Amino acid sequence: MYQHLLYELSDGLARITLHRPQVYNALSPELIQEITAAVQAAEADESVRVVLLTGAGDKAFCSGADLKAGMGEATGMGDALRTRYNPMILALRNLPKPVVCRLNGLAAGAGCSLALACDVVIATEEAYLSQIFVNIGLMPDAGSTFFLPRLVGMARAFELASTGRRVYAPEAVELGLIQRAVPAAQLDEAVNEVLDYYRSAPTRAIGTMKQVLNQSLYSDLPAMLELEARYQDELSQTQDAAEGIGAFLQKRQAVYQGR
């Protein structure tokens, strides 16, 4: 089904691996469509509790747009963003399940945007992120103008966007761009710890948190209080909530099913 990525299912995990290592996992029109389709498949599969996004090889997570591959049927960059990149980013952000990024190497341009669209990013210390768009006379896209100021503040966002400098993983943690940086030999162990947590977490609650936190970015306090009331009412009627409350009262470990 997929020719430019690997999609693997195991024990509540959907692992999506960008698989174009010969071009540092650059985003061709076909790969973008496959990423979107894979995320949608993970959403539709009730057995999936968490999604992992990573790149093939040890050099790059994603080097950004594959300019040599062209823009497909789009007539310009604006159309390419509307028909390819934007649906991919929205699929990730709207997915009611946590998305963990295993940042195994560079993330540049739209590849940086793709990493920032994930919920948790764990990187090797040698990995770096770069808003490289300025180096070819363009501005950040694929959501970076949304994510950057919210993660690091307006002044730092402007600096990163206008210089395109490399932000290595340890600094990215300090700035709040990503959550954790580890030596390369420890990357899989660190990622698996996070995946194990989300595999056994109350998936409905996690997905709802993600939805409501997304909404909080452009809502006021009264609106958020109402959303909290509405969704807390829904969650209180789930199997996971019943299990969590029962486990608390019985002083035992909760066993969540994601329902």
Side-chain angles (χ1 to χ4, degrees), residues 1-2 20 23 55 132 143 147 149 162 178 188 197 201 205 221 228 234 257:
M1 177 179 179
Y2 302 104
R20 303 185 74 219
V23 289
I132 203 169
F147 300 124
S162 62
I178 67 174
D188 287 331
Y197 167 75
L221 179 58
E228 289 174 357
E234 292 181 7
Q257 302 299 321

Side-chain angles (χ1 to χ4, degrees), residues 4 17-26 55-60 63:
H4 304 280
T17 305
L18 313 187
H19 201 259
R20 303 185 74 219
Q22 71 279 9
V23 289
Y24 298 102
N25 302 315
D58 57 5
K59 299 291 186 182
S63 59

Side-chain angles (χ1 to χ4, degrees), residues 36-60:
T36 305
V39 172
Q40 292 170 341
E43 179 174 2
D45 189 339
E46 292 185 0
S47 72
V48 173
R49 308 279 292 278
V50 58
V51 174
L52 176 67
L53 186 62
T54 191
D58 57 5
K59 299 291 186 182

Side-chain angles (χ1 to χ4, degrees), residues 4-160:
H4 304 280
L5 61 79
L6 303 178
Y7 184 77
E8 303 164 285
L9 296 172
S10 64
D11 191 25
L13 167 68
R15 183 186 182 102
I16 301 172
T17 305
L18 313 187
H19 201 259
R20 303 185 74 219
Q22 71 279 9
V23 289
Y24 298 102
N25 302 315
L27 295 167
S28 65
E30 295 78 14
L31 176 56
I32 294 169
Q33 287 185 312
E34 290 190 4
I35 294 171
T36 305
V39 172
Q40 292 170 341
E43 179 174 2
D45 189 339
E46 292 185 0
S47 72
V48 173
R49 308 279 292 278
V50 58
V51 174
L52 176 67
L53 186 62
T54 191
D58 57 5
K59 299 291 186 182
F61 166 68
C62 178
S63 59
D66 187 347
L67 299 180
K68 293 182 180 179
M71 292 296 175
E73 298 174 359
T75 57
M77 286 193 174
D79 285 342
L81 291 171
R82 294 184 186 99
T83 61
R84 302 275 192 267
Y85 292 83
N86 296 357
M88 174 182 68
I89 297 300
L90 288 172
L92 282 168
R93 289 311 310 158
N94 292 333
L95 179 68
K97 301 173 185 181
V99 181
V100 177
C101 175
R102 177 183 176 273
L103 197 67
N104 54 305
L106 72 91
C112 181
S113 302
L114 186 61
L116 298 183
C118 297
D119 300 303
V120 179
V121 182
I122 301 174
T124 67
E125 292 173 341
E126 297 80 13
Y128 68 84
L129 301 96
S130 172
Q131 293 290 323
I132 203 169
F133 303 91
V134 68
N135 292 353
I136 55 173
L138 297 175
M139 60 171 280
D141 59 31
S144 274
T145 61
F146 180 86
F147 300 124
L148 278 177
R150 287 164 173 80
L151 291 170
V152 302
M154 188 63 71
R156 183 67 73 183
F158 177 79
E159 183 253 326
L160 296 179

Side-chain angles (χ1 to χ4, degrees), residues 170-243:
E171 182 188 2
V173 173
E174 293 180 7
L175 293 178
L177 278 174
I178 67 174
Q179 282 78 7
R180 191 174 177 189
V182 298
Q186 299 176 20
L187 179 61
D188 287 331
E189 179 182 357
V191 169
N192 286 335
E193 287 178 2
V194 176
L195 295 178
D196 287 344
Y197 167 75
Y198 283 117
R199 273 185 172 121
S200 59
T203 310
R204 286 279 301 278
I206 298 293
T208 302
M209 289 177 201
K210 180 174 176 178
Q211 179 181 357
V212 174
L213 287 172
N214 283 340
Q215 188 69 32
S216 75
L217 296 173
Y218 37 84
S219 296
D220 57 22
L221 179 58
M224 292 311 300
L225 291 171
E226 175 54 32
L227 280 179
E228 289 174 357
R230 181 194 313 170
Y231 287 113
Q232 198 74 299
D233 187 49
E234 292 181 7
L235 288 174
S236 69
Q237 301 173 55
T238 63
Q239 293 180 28
D240 278 349
E243 167 64 12

